[in-house]
Amino acid sequence: MAPYNQAVAVRLAENQPNDQKVYEGTIDPTWNIGNVPCYALALILQSCIQHQASTPHVDPLHISAHFLRPTNSQVPFKVYVQTVKTGKGFSNLVAEFRQEDSVRITSHAIFGVNGPTDDMPDLTLKPPSSYARRHPLYLHPSEGERHPMRNLWNFHKHIAWAYDDKLTSLNAPDHPSRTNSSTVGGGGLEWGGYLQFESPTERLTNAYIPFLADMFINTINLLPRSEFGSGLGTSWFPTMTLAIEFKFPISQLDPSKHSMRNVGLYSLGRFVNNPQRRHDVYVEVWSAPSNIGEGEPRDGWRDEQFCLATATQMALTVPIALNIKNGKKKTDSKL
């Protein structure tokens, strides 16, 4: 039962021809939902970070993944990382996450330098520009109340979160944002809150982002049950594709203005479609000005916060039994 910063550890196992390296490790079931790990993409990212450590392009800028089969915390893993192309400003990598000689996840990553360079001046859209995106939560962490997590989330004792109730109130059936035949665009469901790692030894790094970008209240669970009628029992929402873009560099956060183990999360889902009630989710991961229940809001606190990453994913809606089944055998078939 390791803290997250230890659970993401990988080690170099083998150097292969064509600049391919193999990393290996084990998955800590502490960071499962039910019987399925939640941070396999973080292990891929950490392998890519180590792969790039001695190159000019050390910062992850983007990573995408297709989840072909569920991963399993009972089985050791290997991550095969290879450089596809290296240019002046970017390096492109491909990676495969394998268990029992089976490819579970395929991934593509782009690395570079997350900051201004000598030949490219600093150009970022940020406050005080009136075009800049501001921190999307109404709630300051000091005003947050810890919200209970489901026991199915094995890590529920290791993290805490506080919902932004004002934001989720926008989803009410009688809210003016509901659409009708005269609406142009609109629609969808929003969620937001703060997620904090409870152990004081935790400190945000890029390897935390894939886990955080997958932590939100799912679109299906935000909808009134009347939208689906009967038959939607307890569900699991496996991610099929996930793409993450890294924005502000975590290494430049200021401990006097930003928490080192708490983040703000915002999500938006607009569509639910066949088959298997697949749905889209857009997520933003933001810095937080303090830990939950600490500090106090001051004027302009939002302008001091940064978007650390944005993410999009496609997920399915399937019976929870498929999740539980994943822990009963070592080799899993496709969903």
Side-chain angles (χ1 to χ4, degrees), residues 134-149:
R134 260 56 173 197
H135 199 282
L137 302 185
Y138 296 94
L139 186 72
H140 187 276
S142 64
E143 304 163 333
E145 296 183 3
R146 282 171 164 77
H147 192 280
M149 293 184 172

Side-chain angles (χ1 to χ4, degrees), residues 225-254:
R225 290 295 176 178
S226 59
E227 292 292 318
F228 291 102
S230 60
L232 182 70
T234 303
S235 300
W236 172 44
F237 307 103
T239 302
M240 299 295 285
T241 67
L242 177 59
I244 301 171
E245 183 175 354
F246 298 81
K247 300 294 189 180
F248 187 83
I250 292 176
S251 61
Q252 294 184 25
L253 292 180
D254 181 349

Side-chain angles (χ1 to χ4, degrees), residues 10-15 21-25 78-79:
V10 299
R11 56 186 174 273
L12 179 63
E14 184 179 354
N15 283 302
K21 294 181 181 179
V22 182
Y23 298 85
E24 64 182 8
K78 290 186 176 181
V79 179

